Amino acid sequence: MGQNLQSSERLRPVDLARGHGLSTQAVRNYEEAGILPAAGRTPHGYRTYTSLHAGALRAFLALVPGHGHRTAASIMRAVNEGETDGAFPFIDEGHAQLLEDRRTLRAVESALRDLAPTTASGPDAESVSGRGDTFIGPLAGRLGIRPATLRKWERAGLVRPRRDPRTGYRVYDEADVRDARLAHQLRRGGYLLEQIAPLITQVRTAGGPELLEATLRDWQDRLSARARAMLTGAAELDTYLRQRDAIAEGSVAADAAVAAPADVSAGVPADLPAAVPSAGVGSMPG
């Protein structure tokens, strides 16, 4: 259930939008998506925002580079609905994926270090009839992808299986399996097929190490940038959470003050005489 938290400052949509190079429509869209808390309304129906909305917008925009738009929106919706604990798993998943991508990079670097010209596929590979041969189904299962993906990679030149002369089935030798594994790892790293194809070619020939090193350096740089962006997003989100907590505590204190009974003795000067009881019938002089 969302909390109705407001602060005293009043801002227009354009005030929020201007500081981030956004349109006022984008600000309204963020509110409707639950990324910002619900806006107040003037008697004429115009939206009014507060410093709390400004903090929510800063937090969301800081979360996007590290977590992506969809996850950042999910985090903010959970917080604004009062389900802060529900926001943390989204953040955890982002860090877990970053760690997995780092491990993938290490695996690619390790695979490339082990490459040698003798392992590259070429004209002689067509005559291989060895122990490492496999078909499309088992290879797809090993990689956790669909056979259609391997066929797509074949059309893009990432893998070059030969055909069994008797059955016509695709046969992947050890070099093909290596290429498929490398393509799979690079796809997980965010590379497009057209970016992977030159790398696979270089791997096959074990030449052009500069291209391989530049690709891996770029990948490492992007992972580091994402990690820094996650830190920035976490800092802005923490600021927003503290802002919400402070406003909520202020609201509770105000409500307690209103609910507390008035102390009638408070503020009475100490030097005033005690109240004199009213004269009754029994107090008449004799």
Side-chain angles (χ1 to χ4, degrees):
M1 191 74 174
Q3 294 174 279
N4 184 16
L5 301 179
Q6 298 292 338
S7 62
S8 58
E9 185 181 2
R10 293 290 178 266
L11 302 170
R12 301 167 299 168
V14 67
D15 297 324
L16 265 66
R18 186 182 293 129
H20 301 283
L22 300 172
S23 67
T24 54
Q25 185 59 51
V27 172
R28 289 191 288 267
N29 290 344
Y30 289 157
E31 180 198 344
E32 291 170 2
I35 293 168
L36 306 183
R41 293 281 182 168
T42 68
H44 297 288
Y46 293 111
R47 284 178 170 86
T48 60
Y49 296 109
T50 68
S51 59
L52 185 70
H53 296 90
L57 183 58
R58 284 193 299 270
F60 169 69
L61 295 177
L63 287 166
V64 168
H67 295 276
H69 188 282
R70 179 178 297 180
T71 299
S74 297
I75 292 169
M76 296 305 297
R77 272 194 294 269
V79 169
N80 292 328
E81 290 170 1
E83 300 291 340
T84 303
D85 286 345
F88 295 144
F90 292 110
I91 298 171
D92 296 341
E93 288 171 6
H95 284 283
Q97 184 60 60
L98 179 61
L99 179 59
E100 180 61 27
D101 288 346
R102 287 191 186 282
R103 288 171 174 162
T104 300
L105 174 58
R106 299 285 87 80
V108 172
E109 289 175 330
S110 177
L112 292 178
R113 281 195 297 270
D114 292 340
L115 289 177
T118 56
T119 65
S121 60
D124 294 342
E126 296 296 332
S127 61
V128 173
S129 60
R131 298 167 298 181
D133 291 0
T134 187
F135 296 107
I136 190 168
L139 179 56
R142 191 187 312 176
L143 296 176
I145 60 177
R146 296 177 302 169
T149 300
L150 281 172
R151 288 192 286 269
K152 182 177 181 180
W153 291 356
E154 181 182 348
R155 290 193 295 271
L158 306 187
V159 290
R160 299 188 304 190
R162 70 180 189 276
R163 295 280 184 164
D164 185 284
R166 292 180 297 113
T167 64
Y169 293 156
R170 291 173 172 84
V171 178
Y172 297 83
D173 62 23
E174 290 182 357
D176 295 321
V177 172
R178 178 208 62 206
D179 293 346
R181 291 182 60 191
L182 185 55
H184 181 51
Q185 291 168 330
L186 290 171
R187 286 292 289 148
R188 283 182 52 80
Y191 283 84
L192 303 176
L193 297 183
E194 55 267 30
Q195 295 173 311
I196 297 173
L199 177 58
I200 296 292
T201 299
Q202 294 294 336
V203 169
R204 286 180 183 139
T205 59
E210 295 81 6
L211 176 60
L212 304 184
E213 292 173 4
T215 299
L216 296 179
R217 279 198 306 270
D218 176 65
W219 190 352
Q220 177 64 64
D221 290 345
R222 289 191 293 125
L223 291 179
S224 297
R226 199 163 111 218
R228 287 292 298 270
M230 285 181 170
L231 290 176
T232 301
E236 287 291 352
L237 180 61
D238 181 65
T239 298
Y240 177 57
L241 291 174
R242 291 176 184 274
Q243 187 179 12
R244 286 176 60 89
D245 290 344
I247 293 173
E249 289 168 6
S251 299
V252 169
D255 291 344
V258 170
D263 184 355
V264 295
S265 66
V268 177
D271 58 348
L272 283 182
V276 179
S278 330
V281 174
S283 65
M284 291 293 289

